[in-house]
Amino acid sequence: AGLDQHTLIELAAQLGSDIPFFAAGHSLARCQGRGEIMTPARSRPISFVIVKPQTGLSTAAVYSGCSSSSFPQSGKDVINALHEPNPAGLKYCVRNGLEQPARQLNATVERLLTLMEQQPFLSTMLCGSGSACFGICHSRKQSLQLARRLQGLTAEDVFVARSRV
């Protein structure tokens, strides 16, 4: 469309809070505000598995079930964990406050997250307000192996993805 980056990000923010990140083309960034304030960060490529249920969730219903948390979160902690040679500590510094209401509203999401938590992912979580779920892997090889395993355990759509460098 011939739009400059700033205009594209402004338009993307009108579509949804997470859209500016994708419009900006960052592989990793610390996002603040509604997601439109981005500080790019460096990281090695991250491999992960995404599982998308056939069923969905009402964003309004998920948010209405959300309560504030005392869980201390910092984007800096996540970025630091990703730079570790073995980023196993990642599971201790990521959390999605919308996950619990999503689990309560959708039995498939509950089942998938429970199934994924039983696999050797570095961390598993609900994507945004759902209904997709993801697991972060040690390597591309592990993501392919876990995706095959999950495809054998569920009828849901399973995808393998890798961040850009």
Side-chain angles (χ1 to χ4, degrees), residues 55-120:
T55 57
L57 282 161
S58 160
T59 301
V62 173
Y63 271 92
S64 72
C66 181
S67 59
S68 61
S69 169
S70 60
F71 183 82
Q73 284 183 285
S74 169
K76 291 177 185 178
D77 292 340
V78 173
I79 291 167
N80 289 339
L82 287 170
H83 284 99
E84 292 293 323
N86 179 3
L90 188 63
K91 66 182 171 186
Y92 300 111
C93 57
V94 295
R95 182 180 178 280
N96 181 345
L98 301 174
E99 189 171 301
Q100 197 55 43
R103 284 178 180 255
Q104 293 170 349
L105 290 166
N106 187 315
T108 303
V109 169
E110 169 64 27
R111 181 180 54 78
L112 283 176
L113 284 167
T114 299
L115 176 64
M116 292 176 75
E117 289 163 353
Q118 296 168 351
Q119 310 306 315

Side-chain angles (χ1 to χ4, degrees), residues 91-163:
K91 66 182 171 186
Y92 300 111
C93 57
V94 295
R95 182 180 178 280
N96 181 345
L98 301 174
E99 189 171 301
Q100 197 55 43
R103 284 178 180 255
Q104 293 170 349
L105 290 166
N106 187 315
T108 303
V109 169
E110 169 64 27
R111 181 180 54 78
L112 283 176
L113 284 167
T114 299
L115 176 64
M116 292 176 75
E117 289 163 353
Q118 296 168 351
Q119 310 306 315
F121 287 108
L122 291 170
S123 182
T124 59
M125 193 179 315
L126 180 76
C127 295
S129 61
S131 63
C133 308
F134 71 93
I136 300 173
C137 301
H138 287 279
S139 65
R140 174 89 169 149
K141 179 180 177 182
Q142 184 193 35
S143 66
L144 293 169
Q145 292 169 340
L146 290 174
R148 279 192 296 275
R149 184 181 301 167
L150 289 171
Q151 286 169 333
L153 296 173
T154 183
E156 310 304 333
D157 294 326
V158 179
F159 306 93
V160 173
R162 184 178 174 147
S163 68

